[in-house]
Amino acid sequence: MQIRFGYELVYACPQRTPMILTLNVHYSRVSDLLVPDHLVTQPAVPITAYRDGFGNWCSRLVAPPGEIRLSTDAVINDSGQPDATDPDAAQFAVEALPSETLVYLQGSRYCETDRLSEIAWSLFEKTPPGWRRVQAISDFVHGHLTFGYQYARATKTALEAFNEKQGVCRDYTHLAIAFCRCMNIPARYCTGYLGDIGVPPSAAPMDFSAWFEAYLGGRWHIFDPRNRVPRIGRVLIAQGRDAADVPLSNVFGPTTLKQFKVWTDEAPASAPSAGDGVPR
C-alpha cells in the first residue's frame, strides 16, 4: 500500500519569529518514503535541522513579518496491515528493564504518575501483567473519556482528563501512559498521521494523531486508547515522554495560526517515486 500524506499550515507573524518544527517522518520510516516529505516554506527561508534528545528530526527557521506557509506533500510505502498485537508479550520487572526505557517510567509534564498511582493500582492491580494489563488500561481510558474537539486544551494533564472525563486523542494517550507508568510499564507518547484507512470515514477535519507505545516482551508495542482497535496506515513523526517533548511547532513570538490542513489517505499504486536526497 502507498499512503499520501501532508499538511499546510499558515502563520501570521507580526515580527521576525523563530520557529522549531517537528513535522518530518520519524527516522524509522524514512526508508519507506517514495516521495520525501521536504518542508516547503512560502516565502522561502533558510532551514537548518537537528535531532532532539529522543532522535526526532527538527527543523529551525526564522519566519519574516507577514504570513508564512509551511507545507509538504509526500508518499510512503506501508504494509497495509493493522497494528500488530501480541497478547503473550510479558511485562518485565523494573530491575530487568533496559536502561534506555527507564525515562518512560517517570512522571512528566502531562503525566502525573505521583497523583494517579493510587487510582491506577485500584483499577488495574488484579489485571494480568503484560499485554493484557496494557490493553485493559487502553480499554478503560477509551470508555472513561468522551471524545470531542471542543474539549481540547493545551494545558490539560492526564489527571485533569481523568477527572473531567473528556478530551481529544492526546488526552486519551496521556492518561493511558500515566496509568502504564504507575503500573511499572514503560510507555512513550507518539504523534503522527492516521487516516481513515480500513474504517468508515469521519466527518471531522483531518488532524495529526496521538497514540502510545508500551515496552513489553523486549520491544515496543502500539496501543491506541482513542480508537481502541488496531488501525491501518500509521505514519510516525515523533516520540517522547508526552506532548511537551514532541510539539509539532514551537513558536517563539506572537503569531496567529490562520490555516491548518492535514491529509493522509491511500494513494494510487502509480504514485511517483522520490528523487535523490531524502532530508536526513
Side-chain angles (χ1 to χ4, degrees), residues 3 29 78-87 131 135 138 190 193-195 197 199 209-213 219-236:
I3 297 173
R29 296 298 306 273
D78 192 81
S79 69
Q81 298 300 308
D83 304 323
T85 60
D86 186 0
W131 177 278
Q135 189 62 58
S138 187
C190 301
Y193 299 89
L194 180 61
I197 299 174
V199 298
S209 294
W211 60 90
F212 77 97
E213 294 178 347
R219 66 184 185 88
W220 294 96
H221 298 266
I222 292 172
F223 292 87
D224 186 343
R226 162 68 181 103
N227 294 294
R228 194 179 187 183
V229 298
R231 293 286 297 271
I232 297 170
R234 293 184 198 275
V235 180
L236 179 66

Side-chain angles (χ1 to χ4, degrees), residues 81-95:
Q81 298 300 308
D83 304 323
T85 60
D86 186 0
D88 296 323
Q91 179 175 339
F92 285 16
V94 173
E95 62 270 23

Side-chain angles (χ1 to χ4, degrees), residues 75-108:
V75 178
I76 194 168
N77 266 331
D78 192 81
S79 69
Q81 298 300 308
D83 304 323
T85 60
D86 186 0
D88 296 323
Q91 179 175 339
F92 285 16
V94 173
E95 62 270 23
L97 286 167
S99 298
E100 62 270 19
T101 68
L102 298 181
V103 67
Y104 300 109
L105 278 181
Q106 301 168 3
S108 55

Side-chain angles (χ1 to χ4, degrees), residues 6 37 50 73 97 102 124 221 252:
D37 58 334
Y50 69 97
D73 194 356
L97 286 167
L102 298 181
F124 308 113
H221 298 266
F252 300 88

Side-chain angles (χ1 to χ4, degrees), residues 13 22 30 34 56 64 73 83-84 94-95 103 127 160 164 190 194 200 204 209 243 260 268 275:
C13 306
T22 308
V30 167
L34 295 173
N56 304 311
D73 194 356
D83 304 323
V94 173
E95 62 270 23
V103 67
T127 58
E160 290 170 337
E164 296 172 17
C190 301
L194 180 61
S209 294
F260 179 90

